[in-house]
Amino acid sequence: MRTSIATVCLSGTLEEKMLACAKAGFDGIEIFEQDLTVSPMSPEEVKALAHRLGLTLDLFQPFRDFEGVEEEILLANLRRAEAKFQLMQRLGMDLMLLCSNVGTATIDDDKLFAEQIRRLADVAARYGVRIAYEALAWGKYVDTYQHSWEIVKLVDRENVGLCIDSFHILSRGDDPAQIARIPGEKIFFVQLADAPVLTMDILSWSRHYRVFPGEGGFELDAFLGHLVRSGYSGIVSLEIFNDVFRQSNVELTAVDGLRSLIWLQARTAALLGSDAQDYPLELDALPGAQQALGFDFAEIRTEDPELIAGMLAQLGFSFLGQHRRKPVQLWCAGNARIIVNSQRSRGVTATVSGLGVQVPDPVAGRARATDLLAKPVLRHHTRDEQELAGFRAPDATEVFFGSVAGTSLWETEFGAHRQAPEEAQRGGITGIDHINLAQPWQAFDESVLFYTSVLNLQARPGTEVPSPMGLVRSQVLRTEDGCVRLALNIVPKGLEAAIESHHEYPEHVALHTDDVVALARRAQRAGMEFLQVPANYYEDLAARFSIDERSLATLKELNLLYDRDEHGEFLHFYTATVGNMFFEVLERRDGYDGYGAPNAPVRLAAQFEHNRFDRH
Amino acid sequence: MRTSIATVCLSGTLEEKMLACAKAGFDGIEIFEQDLTVSPMSPEEVKALAHRLGLTLDLFQPFRDFEGVEEEILLANLRRAEAKFQLMQRLGMDLMLLCSNVGTATIDDDKLFAEQIRRLADVAARYGVRIAYEALAWGKYVDTYQHSWEIVKLVDRENVGLCIDSFHILSRGDDPAQIARIPGEKIFFVQLADAPVLTMDILSWSRHYRVFPGEGGFELDAFLGHLVRSGYSGIVSLEIFNDVFRQSNVELTAVDGLRSLIWLQARTAALLGSDAQDYPLELDALPGAQQALGFDFAEIRTEDPELIAGMLAQLGFSFLGQHRRKPVQLWCAGNARIIVNSQRSRGVTATVSGLGVQVPDPVAGRARATDLLAKPVLRHHTRDEQELAGFRAPDATEVFFGSVAGTSLWETEFGAHRQAPEEAQRGGITGIDHINLAQPWQAFDESVLFYTSVLNLQARPGTEVPSPMGLVRSQVLRTEDGCVRLALNIVPKGLEAAIESHHEYPEHVALHTDDVVALARRAQRAGMEFLQVPANYYEDLAARFSIDERSLATLKELNLLYDRDEHGEFLHFYTATVGNMFFEVLERRDGYDGYGAPNAPVRLAAQFEHNRFDRH
């Protein structure tokens, strides 16, 4: 499938956008006219630069407010169009997007629309230009693809076809299935955009909130399936108006965009199954999908490994060994492995720097991640060390693929020959439950797509958590069975004096146990510093739930937090924050499947209180 | 009028919020329960702190999802309520907000609602608590104030009344006029919120976008007028859920909030006229409103006054003199006065640091600004110097009041005895047209209120301008006659590597002339460095407007930009940026009243191009 992207998706100058698209690996670009108008590059330079970069110039857009007007305005519009056809000739371009009239149309008459577009087509033909007519969702008279298709049929010119944009169809709740009935050769261009499910006017939604496929709530695999069945064999492009993308790093956004099309093709191919072969649009497969089996490890980078070691010991972790070659320690408890790494740690008190996920076939998983443009992490390994396939996520977390069997291999690099599984002690750590990762504001959507595609996780609906620093947007990505769960938190820009960067918003590793009360008591005796929960919280708890007084006293004594859902109960505590991280220990009773969301504001406020002396 | 504010409006801990509210000058606060729950302060401490600060604790809120439920749930709700009444007793509070049921109501029956609320009232009475019932706009069965009033009448208890919240009424487009018919003593509490005009689901709009009165699109003076006429004599409070306020400096937000109530009272008093005296709610007047007569001066702070002097000379300004005591120069052209100040300028190449506005009575203007909590600028003046009344705007711009007559006084401090008005030379600068000020993201709404209230300007609808760094939100504030115009631009967070702070987004002073072509030509000959306009712009201009070739060639030669509206034409050019500022020179023909908005993207892109070598 040939891929393209509209220059309006990206930040920077036209030249910077073109360089970034080529570097990411797009086949071509759409020239959004305003990007050219404000550029010092001549059309000839743009053409030559595209040629040098190997980019095709696929669509010149938008041409607006043409049809449905009085004759005098039409003549002016034809003159305006001809100037643009001349410009396209200098660019070496042959496809123009015509949007259905939004502003100037005064006559609602399909035959007139067709007649006027036919006149445009005749001028266009003289310049070898084809016209792709698109129904905008807020078009004055033409606002559905079915209607624009009726008009294209009435126009009946070889050089007039359709542009299909997923946003204009799905935002209205229109059924895209009839796209499959349009002859593919009359669809001249396809633009895909996803969007979060929002209830607002469509124009604002479209202009600010579009995201790349896979980052929103539209079923774009089914949508692309309908296009495949139409016999469409052209370019599939991205046209994303997004306030964040427009101000983010242009190269990262371009990679994010292409990743979305690679991922979408694979999902669409999977949806179509063997039928896909019957159609001309080639969907590249993405073999080697891995079902995550659990966390392999969490990695903490610290310049003070003794500090982390002390906390781990308080939580009941055992030191398994020092790496044979590197200043890296391995700590274990139950199935939870924590790597304490003091490399590249200058100035880093402690931070969650990486995580490993067990998959059936790490080699295949790595190949697939590479296909998804994941940026590899370079790690040296000697001949007798296990090779770890790692990638850098958009939030800078290092993500590694391992296997269940492989774990025993790399454990030996720590000189640790694991004993036969210890007698399971009640109230010990049993494993890693989830890892909570802070997201810089400009990386959130990209991270959602990265983790869902590369690690094959599902995005759950997001929530917002009030904190003294503002609302924290939070989204959980997880496997269906919950063996791997990530919580992504986008951090408010915050009190400027208090928060310099997202690194001051702590991340954490949540560990599960089968008896958090016993574990908390042991940790308390071992001198563990808990995050202090305010007394008011326990009074509110008593008002909300009927909890017997003795249980409430225990919760309060141990700084435990509590939640309940329709399945069961949830008890958890937080350690004090060290540097940029802390630990959570939790117990899920009777199938409670959440994360104690009602307690998150308590945690954030307590951490904010804890830092107050740093703030003032 | 007694003023209050809900703690949920503000960032920080409960203690920080209380300190900020007291410092700003509020009479009391609403305790948003979650702020207390997450606080380490005991209820007794909160009570004592409020007492020490002189704050009343006016409303405990919210109590949710109470009425319209089955008996079993009701009993649990009564238990939950009683725990909160006990808590309120410890806080010394006597008024609780009851929101209409959103989540758990299953029985739609007004009589049942009333009966259940009556049972709540009876428990509340034992604790001396009164209940203020509020219809949420998204309440399951009760979503209008008329409906909640019907239920309060059915309840028929002395300790049950209404809470009126402007957002829940105006967001639905409900008519607030009937509020005047409710007996004022049955309105127990009033919450005011403004909001920008958005088309989105009311819940999201309410939870993220509320702003302080005067910062949005609701007619809150009329709304408060209806409340006055009801005979209400209680507290008027602010309940603003705003994503930005929640993460901004708590003290500034509290001042912003109180300013909004001071301003709203004055507008409401003006609306009611002498009728206001007939009602018990006392509206504080805000005497001394000044109608701006024009710009007195623009002030540029620079460590390199020669650089600015050179540019001013190129534009045709004359040096009038050096201040008798300070390293400050005065330059004039027509009615435009530019002060070039090299005090406090270390590291500042050039920035727009202040502006003066001529008003009929600067002393009264100053008193009114002080009433509006404007922060004064301390400037020393000797006995023979004119005293300038200045204030620091939220964006740090220094704003001064002067008078037409006063100007000739302070001009003499520069040793300049102005000659008789020069023979008006065609093509000279005639005055300051507008000043464009960059706004940090957290100051935008506050700035809109500050400038509209303190300078008595009107806010025009905002626009968004695409730029290589993201969308720039822009709003014009002006006098009706246009003699004073400010354009506020909120700056995208931007390419992180490119933009460290809003200070790298340039501000500008726009000067008007009666012949921009002649002026540009003279400036060109004088060696002025113009912002370079790309050739593509002129080709697009030719396609959009019919402009004769010779005029087009002139525009292109002089780097002039062009726009046209239904009245007339607009021609303008920009100088190169120095430091953090530049000049614009413009000519308005035949009553053109805009700012060349279609050209703003060209300007922003050209400036971005200009900086490219700094960026890489």
Side-chain angles (χ1 to χ4, degrees):
Chain A
M1 186 177 99
R2 301 205 53 225
T3 57
S4 191
I5 182 169
T7 53
V8 73
C9 308
L10 302 167
S11 69
T13 64
L14 181 57
E15 184 183 359
E16 288 167 344
K17 294 175 192 219
M18 291 173 71
L19 292 169
C21 292
K23 190 172 169 189
F26 279 97
D27 297 309
I29 57 171
E30 301 175 33
I31 295 285
F32 195 77
E33 191 187 357
Q34 194 168 59
D35 285 326
L36 179 67
T37 305
V38 305
S39 171
M41 283 200 292
S42 69
E44 290 77 9
E45 265 180 288
V46 173
K47 178 182 177 181
L49 176 62
H51 184 77
R52 193 241 298 174
L53 296 173
L55 289 173
T56 52
L57 300 181
D58 298 322
L59 181 77
F60 183 88
Q61 72 128 320
F63 193 74
R64 295 188 192 277
D65 292 342
F66 175 78
E67 80 286 14
V69 297
E70 301 286 351
E71 180 66 17
E72 191 189 349
I73 299 174
L74 187 81
L75 291 174
N77 287 349
L78 284 168
R79 276 193 299 274
R80 179 163 61 96
E82 188 156 6
K84 299 305 170 188
F85 296 148
Q86 287 161 354
L87 175 60
M88 288 174 67
Q89 225 173 21
R90 294 170 61 194
L91 287 159
M93 295 183 70
D94 71 351
L95 186 61
M96 175 190 262
L97 176 71
L98 173 66
C99 300
S100 63
N101 198 324
V102 168
T104 62
T106 53
I107 311 158
D108 182 9
D109 177 352
D110 282 8
K111 278 189 192 153
L112 180 81
F113 300 157
E115 185 199 308
Q116 295 186 333
I117 294 173
R118 210 177 293 127
R119 287 167 70 183
L120 181 69
D122 292 341
V123 181
R126 295 208 299 272
Y127 294 89
V129 167
R130 297 179 308 139
I131 307 285
Y133 185 52
E134 176 181 68
L136 300 186
W138 51 88
K140 187 159 177 190
Y141 300 124
V142 180
D143 55 8
T144 67
Y145 74 93
Q146 295 92 337
H147 195 173
S148 57
W149 171 227
E150 288 308 314
I151 290 165
V152 165
K153 281 191 286 187
L154 281 174
V155 171
D156 193 26
R157 279 288 189 279
E158 218 171 79
N159 67 338
V160 176
L162 281 180
C163 176
I164 296 285
D165 181 316
S166 62
F167 185 88
H168 290 292
I169 296 167
L170 300 176
S171 65
R172 297 170 48 102
D174 280 357
D175 176 13
Q178 292 174 53
I179 294 172
R181 299 204 199 152
I182 300 171
E185 67 276 9
K186 289 306 281 182
I187 300 175
F188 283 6
F189 205 73
V190 168
Q191 296 173 320
L192 295 182
D194 204 344
V197 178
L198 297 172
T199 309
M200 64 192 306
D201 69 291
I202 295 179
L203 181 62
S204 303
W205 192 18
S206 171
R207 292 275 167 87
H208 300 284
Y209 296 98
R210 291 186 180 206
V211 285
F212 292 127
E215 297 174 355
F218 290 163
E219 291 185 2
L220 288 177
D221 46 2
F223 188 91
L224 185 54
H226 299 310
L227 275 160
V228 168
R229 279 191 285 264
S230 77
Y232 179 72
S233 62
I235 291 158
V236 175
S237 187
L238 298 166
E239 192 198 28
I240 315 294
F241 302 92
N242 180 291
D243 286 0
V244 172
F245 298 169
R246 286 178 98 131
Q247 49 181 309
S248 307
N249 181 300
V250 61
E251 292 194 3
L252 297 179
T253 308
V255 168
D256 184 23
L258 189 57
R259 178 180 299 133
S260 78
L261 287 180
I262 293 167
W263 175 224
L264 179 65
Q265 280 181 75
R267 280 163 51 213
T268 307
L271 196 73
L272 292 174
S274 57
D275 289 359
Q277 296 158 12
D278 302 340
Y279 302 106
L281 192 70
E282 279 183 47
L283 298 173
D284 289 336
L286 197 58
Q290 300 295 310
Q291 187 54 48
L293 302 171
F295 283 108
D296 204 20
F297 60 85
E299 184 164 340
I300 293 165
R301 187 177 299 152
T302 175
E303 64 176 6
D304 188 358
E306 277 304 282
L307 179 69
I308 302 301
M311 290 174 81
L312 289 170
Q314 287 169 329
L315 290 170
F317 276 78
S318 308
F319 172 68
L320 251 72
Q322 176 87 15
H323 192 272
R324 55 196 288 279
R325 210 165 40 77
K326 298 181 277 190
V328 175
Q329 303 178 13
L330 175 61
W331 290 74
C332 293
N335 286 318
R337 275 173 294 276
I338 305 275
I339 289 173
V340 181
N341 188 337
S342 51
Q343 297 181 114
R344 290 185 294 145
S345 63
R346 205 164 63 153
V348 178
T349 307
T351 191
V352 179
S353 59
L355 58 95
V357 171
Q358 294 177 342
V359 294
D361 183 348
V363 175
R366 181 214 312 234
R368 184 168 168 282
T370 306
D371 287 346
L372 280 162
L373 312 179
K375 195 175 163 186
V377 169
L378 184 65
R379 286 258 173 125
H380 180 68
H381 56 101
T382 60
R383 209 177 306 169
D384 49 356
E385 288 173 6
Q386 197 195 349
E387 187 185 348
L388 278 175
F391 300 92
R392 182 178 299 275
D395 60 9
T397 303
E398 294 179 347
V399 178
F400 296 90
F401 286 122
S403 70
V404 178
T407 300
S408 54
L409 290 177
W410 65 256
E411 277 191 357
T412 62
E413 294 167 21
F414 291 84
H417 296 277
R418 191 88 94 112
Q419 312 297 323
E422 299 165 33
E423 189 67 27
Q425 182 198 11
R426 193 161 165 84
I429 298 288
T430 44
I432 296 174
D433 185 88
H434 64 275
I435 297 178
N436 186 305
L437 300 169
Q439 303 297 308
W441 60 268
Q442 67 277 57
F444 188 80
D445 293 310
E446 189 185 351
S447 285
V448 168
L449 178 62
F450 178 89
Y451 287 113
T452 49
S453 64
V454 170
L455 293 184
N456 224 352
L457 302 178
Q458 297 164 8
R460 294 295 164 97
T463 57
E464 279 162 346
V465 180
S467 88
M469 307 159 294
L471 289 178
V472 176
R473 183 172 153 203
S474 179
Q475 185 157 27
V476 170
L477 312 175
R478 52 173 286 179
T479 56
E480 180 73 39
D481 67 0
C483 73
V484 168
R485 306 169 190 241
L486 301 177
L488 306 188
N489 280 11
I490 190 170
V491 177
K493 284 166 286 181
L495 300 166
E496 281 195 306
I499 298 197
E500 300 277 5
S501 79
H502 77 283
H503 288 297
E504 299 201 19
Y505 180 91
E507 307 185 308
H508 75 270
V509 178
L511 305 156
H512 51 64
T513 174
D514 54 3
D515 188 345
V516 73
V517 172
L519 196 150
R521 233 182 258 291
R522 279 206 306 276
Q524 194 184 41
R525 280 199 296 270
M528 163 80 88
E529 194 187 344
F530 291 78
L531 184 73
Q532 297 297 305
V533 178
N536 298 330
Y537 168 77
Y538 295 102
E539 295 189 9
D540 181 57
L541 211 55
R544 287 192 291 133
F545 301 111
S546 56
I547 303 178
D548 66 89
E549 288 207 10
R550 214 180 118 193
S551 300
L552 199 67
T554 303
L555 294 177
K556 198 168 172 177
E557 177 205 344
L558 296 169
N559 282 286
L560 290 171
L561 296 113
Y562 177 87
D563 192 30
R564 194 189 285 169
D565 68 8
E566 65 273 31
H567 305 294
E569 293 176 303
F570 186 65
L571 286 84
H572 56 143
F573 70 82
Y574 301 104
T575 69
T577 301
V578 290
N580 192 35
M581 68 153 299
F582 61 94
F583 293 102
E584 176 183 2
V585 179
L586 60 88
E587 179 186 345
R588 298 176 180 278
R589 292 182 181 167
D590 305 318
Y592 176 97
D593 201 32
Y595 304 85
N599 301 329
V602 182
R603 192 257 289 174
L604 289 164
Q607 289 172 335
F608 189 80
E609 279 286 349
H610 184 79
N611 293 331
R612 67 185 300 168
F613 294 107
D614 298 338
R615 266 182 292 131
H616 293 295
Chain B
M1 186 176 99
R2 299 203 54 227
T3 57
S4 190
I5 181 170
T7 54
V8 74
C9 307
L10 302 167
S11 68
T13 64
L14 181 56
E15 185 184 357
E16 289 168 343
K17 294 173 194 220
M18 291 173 71
L19 291 170
C21 292
K23 190 172 170 190
F26 279 97
D27 297 309
I29 57 171
E30 301 175 33
I31 294 284
F32 196 76
E33 190 187 358
Q34 195 169 56
D35 285 325
L36 178 67
T37 305
V38 305
S39 171
M41 281 200 293
S42 70
E44 290 77 10
E45 266 181 288
V46 173
K47 179 183 176 181
L49 176 61
H51 184 76
R52 193 240 299 171
L53 296 173
L55 288 173
T56 52
L57 300 180
D58 300 320
L59 181 78
F60 183 87
Q61 71 130 318
F63 192 74
R64 295 187 192 278
D65 292 342
F66 175 78
E67 79 286 14
V69 298
E70 300 285 353
E71 181 65 16
E72 190 188 349
I73 299 174
L74 187 80
L75 292 173
N77 287 349
L78 284 168
R79 276 193 299 274
R80 178 163 61 94
E82 188 155 6
K84 299 305 170 189
F85 296 148
Q86 288 162 354
L87 175 59
M88 288 174 67
Q89 226 172 22
R90 294 170 63 194
L91 288 159
M93 296 182 70
D94 71 352
L95 186 62
M96 174 190 264
L97 175 72
L98 173 65
C99 300
S100 62
N101 198 324
V102 168
T104 62
T106 52
I107 311 157
D108 182 9
D109 177 350
D110 282 8
K111 281 190 189 152
L112 180 81
F113 300 156
E115 185 199 308
Q116 295 187 334
I117 293 172
R118 210 176 295 128
R119 288 167 69 181
L120 180 69
D122 292 342
V123 181
R126 295 208 297 273
Y127 295 89
V129 166
R130 298 179 307 140
I131 307 286
Y133 185 51
E134 176 182 68
L136 300 186
W138 51 89
K140 188 158 176 191
Y141 301 124
V142 180
D143 55 9
T144 65
Y145 74 93
Q146 294 92 338
H147 195 172
S148 56
W149 171 229
E150 288 307 314
I151 291 164
V152 165
K153 281 190 286 187
L154 282 173
V155 172
D156 193 25
R157 278 286 189 280
E158 217 171 79
N159 67 337
V160 176
L162 281 180
C163 175
I164 295 285
D165 180 316
S166 63
F167 184 90
H168 290 293
I169 296 167
L170 300 177
S171 65
R172 298 169 46 103
D174 280 357
D175 176 12
Q178 292 173 53
I179 295 172
R181 298 204 201 154
I182 300 171
E185 66 276 10
K186 288 306 280 183
I187 300 175
F188 282 7
F189 205 73
V190 169
Q191 296 173 320
L192 295 183
D194 203 344
V197 177
L198 297 172
T199 309
M200 64 191 306
D201 69 289
I202 295 180
L203 182 61
S204 304
W205 191 18
S206 172
R207 292 275 166 87
H208 300 285
Y209 297 98
R210 290 185 182 207
V211 285
F212 292 126
E215 297 174 356
F218 290 163
E219 290 184 3
L220 288 176
D221 45 2
F223 188 92
L224 185 54
H226 300 310
L227 275 160
V228 168
R229 279 190 284 263
S230 78
Y232 179 73
S233 61
I235 292 157
V236 175
S237 186
L238 297 166
E239 192 198 29
I240 315 293
F241 303 92
N242 180 290
D243 286 359
V244 172
F245 297 169
R246 286 177 98 131
Q247 48 182 309
S248 307
N249 181 301
V250 61
E251 291 195 3
L252 297 179
T253 308
V255 168
D256 184 22
L258 189 57
R259 178 180 299 133
S260 78
L261 287 180
I262 293 167
W263 176 224
L264 179 66
Q265 281 181 75
R267 280 164 51 213
T268 307
L271 196 72
L272 293 174
S274 58
D275 289 359
Q277 297 160 11
D278 304 340
Y279 303 105
L281 192 69
E282 277 183 49
L283 299 174
D284 289 334
L286 198 57
Q290 300 295 312
Q291 187 55 47
L293 302 171
F295 283 107
D296 204 20
F297 59 85
E299 182 164 341
I300 293 165
R301 187 178 300 153
T302 176
E303 65 176 5
D304 189 358
E306 278 303 284
L307 179 68
I308 301 301
M311 290 175 80
L312 289 170
Q314 287 168 331
L315 290 171
F317 276 78
S318 308
F319 172 67
L320 252 71
Q322 176 87 17
H323 192 271
R324 56 196 286 279
R325 211 166 39 78
K326 298 182 275 190
V328 176
Q329 304 178 10
L330 174 61
W331 289 73
C332 292
N335 286 319
R337 275 173 295 276
I338 305 275
I339 289 173
V340 181
N341 187 337
S342 50
Q343 296 183 114
R344 290 185 295 145
S345 64
R346 204 164 63 153
V348 179
T349 306
T351 192
V352 180
S353 59
L355 58 94
V357 172
Q358 294 177 342
V359 295
D361 183 349
V363 175
R366 182 214 312 232
R368 184 169 169 279
T370 306
D371 287 346
L372 281 163
L373 313 178
K375 196 174 162 186
V377 169
L378 184 64
R379 287 255 173 127
H380 180 67
H381 57 101
T382 59
R383 208 177 309 168
D384 49 356
E385 287 172 9
Q386 197 195 352
E387 187 184 349
L388 277 175
F391 300 93
R392 180 178 301 274
D395 60 9
T397 302
E398 294 178 348
V399 178
F400 296 89
F401 285 122
S403 69
V404 179
T407 300
S408 53
L409 292 177
W410 64 257
E411 277 191 359
T412 62
E413 295 167 22
F414 290 84
H417 297 277
R418 192 88 94 114
Q419 312 297 321
E422 298 165 33
E423 189 68 27
Q425 182 196 13
R426 192 162 166 82
I429 298 288
T430 44
I432 296 174
D433 185 88
H434 63 277
I435 297 178
N436 185 306
L437 299 169
Q439 302 297 309
W441 60 269
Q442 67 277 55
F444 189 79
D445 293 311
E446 190 186 349
S447 286
V448 168
L449 178 61
F450 177 89
Y451 287 113
T452 50
S453 65
V454 171
L455 293 185
N456 224 352
L457 302 178
Q458 298 165 6
R460 294 295 164 98
T463 57
E464 278 162 348
V465 180
S467 87
M469 308 159 293
L471 289 178
V472 176
R473 185 173 152 204
S474 180
Q475 185 157 24
V476 170
L477 313 176
R478 54 174 284 179
T479 55
E480 181 74 39
D481 66 1
C483 73
V484 169
R485 306 169 189 242
L486 300 177
L488 306 187
N489 281 10
I490 190 170
V491 178
K493 285 167 285 182
L495 301 166
E496 282 195 305
I499 299 198
E500 300 276 5
S501 80
H502 77 284
H503 289 298
E504 301 202 15
Y505 179 92
E507 307 184 308
H508 76 270
V509 178
L511 304 157
H512 51 64
T513 174
D514 54 4
D515 188 345
V516 74
V517 172
L519 196 151
R521 232 183 259 291
R522 279 205 307 276
Q524 194 183 41
R525 279 198 298 270
M528 162 80 86
E529 194 186 343
F530 290 78
L531 184 74
Q532 297 297 305
V533 178
N536 298 329
Y537 168 76
Y538 295 101
E539 295 189 9
D540 181 56
L541 211 57
R544 287 193 290 133
F545 300 111
S546 56
I547 303 179
D548 66 90
E549 287 207 11
R550 212 178 118 192
S551 301
L552 200 68
T554 302
L555 295 177
K556 198 168 173 178
E557 178 206 343
L558 296 169
N559 281 287
L560 291 171
L561 296 111
Y562 179 88
D563 192 28
R564 193 188 285 167
D565 68 8
E566 66 273 30
H567 305 293
E569 294 176 304
F570 187 64
L571 284 83
H572 56 143
F573 70 82
Y574 301 104
T575 70
T577 301
V578 290
N580 193 33
M581 67 152 299
F582 61 95
F583 293 101
E584 177 182 0
V585 179
L586 59 87
E587 179 186 345
R588 298 177 180 278
R589 292 182 182 167
D590 305 319
Y592 176 98
D593 201 33
Y595 305 85
N599 300 330
V602 181
R603 192 257 291 176
L604 290 164
Q607 289 172 334
F608 190 80
E609 280 286 347
H610 184 78
N611 293 332
R612 67 185 301 168
F613 294 107
D614 298 337
R615 264 182 294 131
H616 293 295

